[in-house]
C-alpha cells in the first residue's frame, strides 16, 4: 500500500556542482525537494521506489546499489541508489541519478531503495497498472517521483514558447497540490510529449499506486518555471 510520495523535478541542475554559477538561483527549489524527500522517512516505509523518465537504456528496474553519474553534464560526480557492497553495472538514467542525489542529501529513509526507469511514451493504462503492482508489493510503500512539467513556458525555454504550456502546468500544479488522481490519470500523452513534460508517465504511475491505497493528502511546496520549464515539488501523505 502506498503510504507517502514525494514529487520532484529532475533537472541535473539541481546538483550544485552541475549548476555551478547558477547554483544559488535554484536553492529554493533544492530546499523544497529536501523537505518533500525528507518527509518520506516519517512515513516509515518498508520499500522505497524512485521512479523517473528514462530512455531505452535506462528503462526498467534498478536495484539498490545501482550507480549513476553526472559526467555527461561536465561533472565527474557519482551517486548511488541506497547502499550495496557490489553495485550493478547498468547505470542509472539521469532522472534517477538526481533522485539518488536528493535521497543522499535529505533525512535518511530506513528502507530498501530501488529505482524504476519509465518510458515517457508508456500508455496511461500501463502506467496505472505498474503503479498498482508497486502499491501491492509491500505493506508500506513510498515513492519518490521524478519528472518535469512543460518545457515551453517562455521564448527562452528549451522548446521555445507554446501557448498551451501555462494552462497545462496550472492544471498539473492544482492536481499535485490536492492529490487529484482523476486529473493526473486524464493527462494526454500526446499533449505532454509535445510540451516536453517528462513527468507524465511517472505521475500516472503514482496515480495507479494511490488509487490502490488509502487516500492521501497533497501539499504543493514549489511551483515555478525557471528557465521556462515547469518545476513542481509536492508531498502526498
Amino acid at each position: 500500500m502506498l503510504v507517502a510520495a514525494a514529487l520532484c523535478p529532475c533537472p541535473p541542475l539541481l546538483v550544485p556542482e552541475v549548476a555551478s554559477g547558477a547554483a544559488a538561483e535554484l536553492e529554493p527549489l533544492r530546499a523544497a525537494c529536501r523537505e518533500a524527500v525528507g518527509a518520506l522517512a516519517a512515513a516509515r516505509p518498508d520499500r522505497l521506489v524512485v521512479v523517473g523518465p528514462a530512455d531505452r537504456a535506462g528503462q526498467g528496474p534498478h536495484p539498490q546499489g545501482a550507480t549513476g553519474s553526472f559526467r555527461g553534464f561536465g561533472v565527474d560526480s557519482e551517486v548511488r541508489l541506497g547502499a550495496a557492497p557490489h553495485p550493478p553495472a547498468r547505470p542509472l538514467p539521469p532522472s534517477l541519478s538526481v533522485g539518488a542525489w536528493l535521497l543522499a542529501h535529505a533525512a535518511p529513509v530506513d528502507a530498501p531503495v530501488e529505482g524504476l526507469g519509465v518510458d515517457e511514451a508508456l500508455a496511461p493504462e500501463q502506467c496505472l497498472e505498474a503503479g498498482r503492482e508497486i502499491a501491492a508489493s509491500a505493506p508500506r510503500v513510498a515513492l519518490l517521483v521524478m519528472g518535469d512539467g512543460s518545457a515551453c513556458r517562455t521564448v527562452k525555454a528549451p522548446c521555445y514558447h507554446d501557448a498551451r504550456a501555462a494552462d497545462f502546468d496550472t492544471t498539473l500544479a492544482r492536481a499535485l497540490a490536492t492529490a487529484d488522481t482523476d486529473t493526473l490519470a486524464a493527462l494526454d500523452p500526446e499533449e505532454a510529449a509535445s510540451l516536453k513534460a517528462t513527468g507524465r508517465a511517472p505521475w500516472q504511475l503514482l496515480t495507479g499506486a494511490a488509487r490502490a491505497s488509502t487516500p492521501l493528502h497533497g501539499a504543493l511546496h514549489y511551483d515555478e518555471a525557471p528557465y521556462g520549464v515547469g518545476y513542481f515539488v509536492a508531498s502526498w501523505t
Side-chain angles (χ1 to χ4, degrees):
M1 181 175 71
L2 182 69
V3 296
L7 299 92
C8 297
C10 54
L13 286 174
L14 269 176
V15 179
E17 292 82 1
V18 175
S20 187
E25 298 176 16
L26 292 179
E27 182 51 34
L29 172 58
R30 216 171 282 119
C33 289
R34 286 195 296 267
E35 178 183 3
V37 174
L40 296 178
R44 297 176 288 106
D46 303 313
R47 183 188 186 203
L48 172 60
V49 183
V50 185
V51 180
D55 61 16
R56 183 178 296 274
Q59 289 167 19
H62 294 264
Q64 179 161 290
T67 58
S69 78
F70 300 104
R71 295 186 185 93
F73 303 94
V75 175
D76 190 13
S77 175
E78 189 172 88
V79 291
R80 177 174 292 180
L81 193 61
H86 302 292
R90 192 164 74 109
L92 296 170
S95 66
L96 300 190
S97 295
V98 175
W101 185 89
L102 288 174
L103 285 173
H105 290 79
V109 179
D110 186 19
V113 181
E114 305 158 53
L116 179 64
V118 181
D119 182 354
E120 289 183 45
L122 195 65
E125 184 50 47
Q126 292 176 290
C127 296
L128 296 173
E129 178 58 27
R132 289 191 288 266
E133 291 177 359
I134 291 175
S137 68
R140 300 183 65 83
V141 175
L143 291 176
L144 172 52
V145 184
M146 311 299 295
D148 300 343
S150 73
C152 311
R153 291 279 289 273
T154 69
V155 294
K156 294 184 178 180
C159 300
Y160 198 65
H161 177 255
D162 189 309
R164 301 170 298 164
D167 286 343
F168 180 90
D169 283 350
T170 296
T171 298
L172 177 59
R174 189 180 301 117
L176 298 182
T178 58
D180 178 358
T181 59
D182 288 341
T183 294
L184 293 179
L187 290 175
D188 178 23
E190 292 187 5
E191 180 182 26
S194 67
L195 295 174
K196 306 302 180 184
T198 64
R200 191 275 308 171
W203 296 325
Q204 290 184 327
L205 185 149
L206 167 63
T207 294
R211 285 180 166 180
S213 308
T214 301
L216 301 177
H217 299 284
L220 189 66
H221 307 296
Y222 187 95
D223 173 11
E224 300 290 343
Y227 318 123
V229 182
Y231 293 151
F232 308 95
V233 180
S235 297
W236 289 15
T237 55

